[in-house]
């Protein structure tokens, strides 16, 4: 039977993060009443409140949270509870110091900030499960509670504590069986690194980045598995006791060295903490890196998602404060999140903290407690989202293009940076930005995911590779898909060992080329020539390509490799495989991706003005076209047909003018899909 509470994660609504424990109880009802009047539907609570929920070992105090949740319920506001394990209380860390992570150099990650918990600590697991079980029992039947957030913003700790050391050793044992196998798979013979007894095998003490790269990569994999196993200690308790509630986790700050896809297997819905930088000097990049973060979050579970923390005021404290959000920015970025597939957007935070380290990471309301300009904008957003929720619910983002993202490639390329400026994630930003400018919707999915339904797949550096990866691309191309594969692919096996075959290794067959030689040109600017004899800049890397069935698409135009193919296209089965041997400038990406998209039947729009984005959500009642002006200047976007504004009801034809940070949501008058 479909369950109301479980389905509630796909509602389109606005929420806030609220910390009842930070405020005098006499303020709660006034706050909650204002939330209700403003149109807030959901609130996240308690993710750091361990010391209040369990003031001393084994004695729980839920009375205050009961009173808060009862009040929320009285006002019809729903609740997500964060498990409080990111902030173990002092009584726990002093009695059980194994909770605290140990840094590579041997220093302890002391309590005082947050995140001071080793995922492999037996004490953390035991005490964490105990409080989660108590919370779950207390609130499984509470009428306001709809779901849970596990911990808060998982990230890699590179913990070197004794528990991690032992756990790592057994992880390696389980993976390879014998020490002989470890020695051979990691190539430990180099620099006399061979292990002769299991006790010699440890976490990479000292933290030097120049240790054996196979060890370093497996140490990361071990940690990914540890976070997944740790989260399981939470989700198993929650599933058993609260079967009607959904479970999420709030990912943050991409790129994260985390197996987000693996972590999300235990979750119903993924969430992201979205803090676009509101400073004017970031105006050229923030809307695009933001769009990528949203697409990446949607790709975690390949469905709608939540924003668990959304920008509400000037961020600060971790650095001198950034600019305050320009008028319209808070609303526009919340709509950008919804346009890219967020269903619920929860703003961080209701009111700026009066105490603690984050006093100047501003909330919607300032310390004065007088709601101001930002709050008025938030109230407008709540009104709009509530009015349009019936239209938006059930709609989703459908993309015909995808970028294959891999946390393993990210990690391996961080372990051994290849050339100055060559950064896995920064390069993804470039292609993604070009797609966004062309109005081509794009999913960003895990690199091992099936590719059915896509026409165009961009494959950033598959530096580590295996037969499975080659097969995936070959069968996609055979079936008529277009693959765009970039340099530094097919370099290594999955254990981070270089393979003894011409680059791009197992991808040569599909790409119809081999790399004769390469030049890590780094920050130097080199030159490309297209078939139309146009010049484009390129940098980072130059693969000098030998054609083995592929056609050249662009050539180098300088240095000793002038005239050699730099970009190629191979017809493979019913599809095409492009190989890009260098990192070209944005104009080249716009041309290449625009041509490839048109060729596969996608319809790129004429390049959108800087900062303007167009995204679509599709449902049974047709398509909703979101036009967002994420810039400080008014912009005009040409319209391909007549539309009606879902916001104002007015007819829009010819062109839509958008003021600074204004947005429009359009439905085609004739109900047909728009271009792009
Ligand atoms: C993260 C955390 C929040 C808050 C914000 C602002 O996103 O989850 O608790 O600290 O950062 O720094
Ligand atoms: Zn540890």
């Amino acid at each position: 039977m479909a369950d109301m509470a479980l389905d509630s994660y796909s509602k389109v609504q606005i929420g806030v993060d609220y910390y009842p424990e930070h405020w005098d109880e006499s303020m709660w009802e006034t706050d909650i009443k204002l939330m209700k009047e403003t149109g807030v539907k959901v609130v996240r609570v308690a993710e750091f409140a361990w010391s209040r929920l369990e003031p001393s070992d084994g004695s729980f105090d839920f009375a205050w949270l009961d009173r808060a949740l009862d009040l929320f319920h009285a006002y019809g506001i729903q609740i997500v509870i964060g498990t409080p394990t990111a902030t173990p209380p002092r009584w726990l860390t002093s009695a059980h110091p194994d909770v605290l992570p140990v840094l590579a150099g041997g220093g302890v990650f002391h309590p005082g900030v947050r995140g001071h918990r080793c995922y492999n600590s037996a004490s953390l697991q035991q005490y964490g499960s105990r409080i989660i079980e108590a919370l779950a029992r207390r609130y499984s039947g509470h009428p306001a509670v709809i779901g849970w957030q596990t911990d808060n913003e998982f990230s890699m700790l590179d913990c070197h504590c004794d528990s991690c050391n032992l756990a790592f050793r057994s992880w390696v044992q389980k993976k390879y069986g014998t020490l002989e196998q470890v020695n051979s798979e990691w190539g430990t013979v180099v620099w006399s690194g061979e292990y002769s007894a299991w006790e010699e095998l440890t976490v990479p003490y000292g933290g030097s980045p120049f240790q054996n790269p196979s060890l370093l990569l497996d140490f990361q994999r071990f940690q990914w598995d540890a976070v997944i196993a740790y989260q399981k200690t939470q989700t198993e308790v929650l599933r058993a006791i609260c079967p009607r509630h959904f479970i999420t986790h709030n990912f943050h700050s991409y790129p994260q060295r985390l197996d987000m896809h693996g972590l999300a297997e235990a979750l119903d819905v993924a969430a992201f903490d979205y803090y676009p930088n509101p400073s004017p000097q970031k105006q050229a990049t923030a809307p695009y890196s933001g769009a990528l973060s949203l697409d990446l979050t949607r790709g975690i579970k390949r469905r709608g998602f939540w924003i668990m923390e959304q920008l509400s005021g000037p961020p600060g404290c971790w650095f001198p404060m950034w600019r305050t959000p320009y008028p319209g920015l808070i609303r526009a970025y919340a709509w950008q999140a919804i346009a890219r597939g967020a269903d619920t957007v929860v703003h961080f935070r209701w009111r700026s903290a009066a105490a603690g380290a984050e006093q100047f990471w501003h909330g919607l309301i300032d310390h004065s407690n007088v709601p101001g300009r930002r709050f008025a904008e938030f109230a407008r957003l709540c009104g709009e989202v509530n009015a349009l929720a019936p239209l938006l619910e059930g709609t989703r983002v459908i993309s015909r293009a995808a970028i294959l993202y891999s946390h393993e490639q990210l990690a391996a390329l961080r372990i051994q940076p290849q050339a100055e400026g060559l950064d896995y994630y920064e390069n993804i930003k470039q292609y993604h930005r070009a797609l966004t400018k062309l109005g081509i919707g794009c999913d960003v999915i895990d690199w091992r995911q099936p590719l059915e339904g896509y026409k165009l797949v961009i494959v950033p550096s598959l530096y580590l590779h295996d037969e499975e990866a080659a097969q995936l691309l070959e069968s996609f191309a055979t079936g008529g898909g277009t693959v765009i594969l970039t340099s530094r692919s097919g370099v290594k096996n999955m254990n981070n060992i270089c393979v003894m075959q011409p680059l791009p290794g197992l991808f040569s067959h599909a790409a119809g080329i081999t790399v004769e030689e390469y030049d890590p040109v780094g920050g130097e600017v080199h030159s490309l020539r297209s078939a139309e004899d146009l010049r484009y800049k390129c940098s980072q890397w130059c693969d000098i390509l030998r054609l083995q069935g592929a056609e050249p698409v662009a050539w180098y135009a300088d240095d000793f490799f002038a005239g050699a193919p730099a970009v190629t296209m191979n017809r493979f089965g019913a599809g095409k495989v492009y190989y890009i041997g260098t990192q070209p400038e944005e104009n080249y990406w716009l041309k290449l991706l625009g041509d490839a998209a048109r060729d596969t039947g996608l319809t790129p729009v004429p390049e959108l003005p800087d900062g303007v984005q167009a995204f679509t959500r599709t449902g049974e009642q047709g398509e909703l076209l979101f036009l967002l002006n994420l810039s400080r200047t008014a912009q005009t976007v040409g319209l391909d047909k007549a539309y009606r504004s879902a916001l104002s009801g007015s007819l829009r034809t010819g062109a839509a003018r958008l003021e600074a940070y204004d947005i429009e949501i359009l439905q085609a008058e004739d109900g047909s899909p728009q271009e792009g």
Side-chain angles (χ1 to χ4, degrees), residues 17 19 44 47-48 114 149 152-153 250-253 273-275 309 315-319 348-349 358 361:
D17 296 296
Y19 299 88
R44 180 196 60 178
E47 80 278 13
F48 298 127
R114 56 171 175 181
Q149 169 192 298
N152 190 72
E153 296 189 338
N250 58 334
F251 296 102
H252 75 301
S253 304
D273 293 346
Y274 190 26
Y275 294 107
E309 299 179 15
C317 288
W318 304 94
F319 33 74
F348 185 90
R349 48 189 277 167
E358 283 204 332
W361 193 285

Side-chain angles (χ1 to χ4, degrees), residues 172-173 176-188 195 198 201:
V172 175
Q173 243 157 1
Y176 296 105
T178 64
L179 265 190
E180 291 67 43
Q181 196 66 20
V182 179
N183 283 325
S184 126
E185 298 279 352
W186 288 1
T188 54
Y195 300 101
W198 278 107
L201 196 150

Side-chain angles (χ1 to χ4, degrees), residues 45-50 53 80-87 128 131-132 135 148-152 154 230 234-235 238 247:
V45 296
E47 80 278 13
F48 298 127
W50 197 339
L53 295 167
V80 174
I81 303 178
T83 66
T85 45
T87 45
I131 188 157
I132 292 167
L135 272 168
W148 298 80
Q149 169 192 298
T150 56
D151 201 272
N152 190 72
F154 285 132
Y230 174 64
Q234 308 208 347
T235 54
L238 295 170
I247 308 180

Side-chain angles (χ1 to χ4, degrees), residues 22 39 102 238 273 285 515 601:
H22 293 184
V102 174
L238 295 170
D273 293 346
T285 51
V515 176

Side-chain angles (χ1 to χ4, degrees), residues 369-385:
N369 203 21
V370 181
R373 172 186 71 82
R374 302 196 309 279
F375 189 84
E377 188 176 313
F378 171 73
R380 175 181 178 196
L381 169 74
C382 290
E384 289 172 345
V385 171

